[in-house]
Amino acid sequence: MKLDHYEDINKYINSRRHDIRGLIGIGAHRGQEFYGFRGMGVNNFIMFEPQPEKFEILNKLWEIQMLSPKPVPIDLDSLGEPKLDFRIENLALGKDDGEKTMYVSSNDGQSSSLLKPLMHEELYPGIKFEKEITVKQTSLDKYISENGINMNKFNFICIDVQGYELEVFKGATETLKHIDCIFSEVNNIELYEGCATIDKVDEFLGKN
């Protein structure tokens, strides 16, 4: 199901709200999507953000949630309230382990990528990439396995990694077997060097 407008996306997600058991946020930035899903009663979160400054913001978000009175139950008629399971990781995800160079953007890091900007600088000249940092990368499958994550608690992926989506999915073939819905940005052109366009992402997900 392809949706072109955020309004339609929000309607779709809200229509599925009681089916969403948990969110895996990849390229979580400041955790913007957390509040929307939390407000719908989602209690299970794993958030990945490789940029140290943005990870610290996520860390503060975690501290706030731990001090909040009560999590919101998904089933409002249920007895007892499920415990909030909220994990944050200062990691990039890809198809393997290693250290990667991240090209940090001037727009609060929103366009930062593990791929070099290409047409991005031409189409968005106001956004600069003047800083590079080294980040740690692992695969989602390895993280799930090594941390004993119960995938019955997670069935929704929200991913925003600026052209690196296919590399993340290549390292998540086992995890994808448990996922019902993916909300992902995709590219129609090569905004970043070697980034997979929507047809390649669709082809891979169609097989997995």
Side-chain angles (χ1 to χ4, degrees), residues 1-2 5 11 17 21 26 30 37 54 58 71 88 99 107 110 124 131 133 140 150-151 170-171 178-179 185 193 200:
M1 182 175 186
K2 295 181 181 178
H5 305 290
K11 286 180 180 178
R17 61 188 300 171
R21 298 189 298 275
I26 306 171
R30 293 173 174 266
F37 284 90
K54 301 303 176 285
L58 282 175
I88 54 173
E99 291 190 340
N107 59 339
Q110 294 183 64
Y124 305 99
K131 180 181 178 182
I133 61 174
L140 184 55
N150 179 5
M151 283 306 299
K170 286 178 179 178
H178 302 272
I179 300 300
E185 283 197 357
E193 286 187 10
K200 297 296 184 183

Side-chain angles (χ1 to χ4, degrees), residues 17-99:
R17 61 188 300 171
H18 294 292
D19 300 325
I20 301 173
R21 298 189 298 275
L23 173 71
I24 299 175
I26 306 171
H29 197 242
R30 293 173 174 266
Q32 292 94 325
E33 71 275 8
F34 169 82
Y35 296 101
F37 284 90
R38 184 73 175 126
M40 290 191 295
V42 178
N43 293 279
N44 305 312
F45 295 86
I46 307 175
M47 313 285 274
F48 295 92
E49 175 52 52
Q51 298 180 80
E53 293 177 358
K54 301 303 176 285
F55 174 75
E56 286 305 314
I57 293 172
L58 282 175
N59 198 37
K60 291 178 181 178
L61 175 63
W62 180 86
E63 291 174 355
I64 291 171
Q65 291 306 311
M66 291 302 100
L67 293 173
S68 62
K70 291 182 179 180
V72 181
I74 293 177
D75 181 358
L76 298 179
D77 297 323
S78 66
L79 296 176
E81 297 180 353
K83 181 181 178 181
L84 174 64
D85 185 350
F86 185 44
R87 298 167 177 258
I88 54 173
E89 300 292 347
N90 189 201
L91 290 169
L93 295 180
K95 64 180 179 180
D96 50 25
D97 285 351
E99 291 190 340

Side-chain angles (χ1 to χ4, degrees), residues 186-200:
V186 289
N187 289 277
N188 291 314
I189 57 175
E190 200 173 354
L191 283 180
Y192 301 86
E193 286 187 10
C195 74
T197 51
I198 185 172
D199 55 330
K200 297 296 184 183

